[in-house]
Amino acid sequence: MSGATSPDLAARLRSAGLRPTRQRVALARALFEREHHHVTAESLHAEAKAARNPVSLATVYNTLNQFRDAGLLREVVVAPGRSYFDTNTGHHHHFYVETDGELHDFPSDKVTIEGLPVPPKGTKLSRVDVIVRVRR
Amino acid sequence: MSGATSPDLAARLRSAGLRPTRQRVALARALFEREHHHVTAESLHAEAKAARNPVSLATVYNTLNQFRDAGLLREVVVAPGRSYFDTNTGHHHHFYVETDGELHDFPSDKVTIEGLPVPPKGTKLSRVDVIVRVRR
DNA sequence: CAAGCAGTTTAGAACAATTCTAAAACTGCA
DNA sequence: TGCAGTTTTAGAATTGTTCTAAACTGCTTG
């Protein structure tokens, strides 16, 4: 097995202004070296432990916030006290299955939103979130 | 001063299956006898106290949840740990000013969303939330 | 209108998610 | 290799919300 730290990841962290520490690289691997997915702080913490790369929960929180601030992750709030981090930072929207807390992406290329009002004076657009809520 | 309980409100609560107790009527007044607005549990609790109708915080939470379940209120989650209740239950969307936590409605009549994918098998649409995030 | 019971309210404890703190451990550079 | 500044960590603290058990109230019935 390749125990080598992916140089890409280290570089990516560095260029985001983050030192590629053991913990950050471990979390970055769990996050970015696979398909796009959604994590919570708890789930990522558990995943890191399972991969024999234990990271304290506080560090998981710090790291998720840093990655989000650096634009590496996108935070999606679907319900009170339920915050997901999405490794897909491109344009897309979400399905949220209310009955079991699942979150799924769907691409935004087919979706067009028209007639949105202009942002209030003195503000600039940050982004538009569309959450399609469904239940079983 | 008119100490009379608005009969409309009492009836509205009753038909939602809720006994029109002093506390629920007091909160319903604060919520529904004025223009549409957004409250948090804390803000409503403070408002009730200021109106000399103190209600315990637990009751405020219970009541907000009951009103939401009864369709009298709509819950809007904009940020982790920040849940608003909106007295406007009609079709509309939201502006969220991230930099200062303000939430504003905007009507959905001008807004059209096209190309949304069909809900996953076995699920039915609950609603579509559009949150336009802006910053100062 | 008194009694009784289910539904409500309440203070405070409990809980869950997240952030803070202060100390120990690292990282990167000289 | 030494050192200054970062980062990590365990655990405490904070925040927002729900739970608990006891007191109370609104409604119905006799």
Side-chain angles (χ1 to χ4, degrees):
Chain A
M1 61 177 146
S2 111
T5 291
S6 160
D8 307 344
L9 278 185
R12 202 158 160 202
L13 293 183
R14 233 184 284 272
S15 73
L18 299 168
R19 293 220 284 229
T21 62
R22 179 177 66 65
Q23 291 87 339
R24 295 212 266 236
V25 172
L27 296 178
R29 285 183 146 181
L31 290 167
F32 305 124
E33 290 194 335
R34 63 193 63 181
E35 302 256 298
H36 284 316
H37 58 136
H38 303 108
V39 302
T40 60
E42 287 293 348
S43 79
L44 185 58
H45 182 239
E47 198 179 340
K49 186 181 297 177
R52 307 288 188 84
N53 260 315
V55 174
S56 78
L57 189 54
T59 296
V60 172
Y61 274 105
N62 289 336
T63 303
L64 284 173
N65 289 335
Q66 290 157 353
F67 284 9
R68 178 205 49 213
D69 293 345
L72 266 33
L73 289 175
R74 169 169 161 184
E75 188 170 9
V76 187
V77 184
V78 287
R82 200 173 255 281
S83 191
Y84 285 97
F85 289 87
D86 189 343
T87 61
N88 181 354
T89 57
H91 278 190
H92 69 286
H93 302 303
H94 294 98
F95 271 124
Y96 180 61
V97 185
E98 293 175 333
T99 36
D100 42 50
E102 274 174 48
L103 189 66
H104 302 285
D105 284 5
F106 67 79
S108 63
D109 18 330
K110 293 273 176 32
V111 182
T112 54
I113 306 178
E114 266 171 53
L116 285 180
V118 292
K121 260 220 169 88
T123 65
K124 71 186 229 292
L125 189 71
S126 167
R127 79 178 194 226
V128 178
D129 280 350
V130 177
I131 299 185
V132 178
R133 293 167 186 278
V134 301
R135 39 181 64 245
R136 275 190 205 292
Chain B
M1 61 176 159
S2 114
T5 293
S6 161
D8 308 344
L9 278 184
R12 203 159 161 201
L13 294 183
R14 234 184 283 272
S15 73
L18 299 168
R19 290 221 287 233
T21 62
R22 179 177 64 67
Q23 291 86 339
R24 295 213 265 236
V25 172
L27 296 178
R29 285 183 147 182
L31 289 168
F32 306 124
E33 290 194 334
R34 63 193 63 180
E35 302 255 300
H36 284 316
H37 61 287
H38 304 107
V39 303
T40 61
E42 287 293 349
S43 79
L44 185 57
H45 182 238
E47 199 178 339
K49 186 182 296 177
R52 306 288 187 87
N53 261 315
V55 174
S56 78
L57 188 55
T59 296
V60 173
Y61 274 105
N62 289 337
T63 303
L64 285 173
N65 289 335
Q66 291 157 352
F67 284 8
R68 177 205 51 214
D69 292 346
L72 268 31
L73 289 175
R74 168 170 162 183
E75 188 169 8
V76 187
V77 185
V78 288
R82 199 174 256 280
S83 190
Y84 284 97
F85 289 87
D86 189 344
T87 61
N88 182 353
T89 58
H91 278 191
H92 69 285
H93 302 302
H94 293 98
F95 271 124
Y96 180 59
V97 185
E98 293 175 333
T99 35
D100 42 50
E102 274 174 48
L103 189 65
H104 302 285
D105 285 5
F106 67 81
S108 63
D109 20 330
K110 294 273 174 36
V111 182
T112 54
I113 306 178
E114 265 170 53
L116 284 181
V118 293
K121 258 219 171 89
T123 66
K124 71 184 228 294
L125 189 71
S126 166
R127 79 176 195 229
V128 178
D129 281 349
V130 177
I131 298 185
V132 177
R133 293 167 185 278
V134 302
R135 41 181 62 248
R136 274 188 206 294

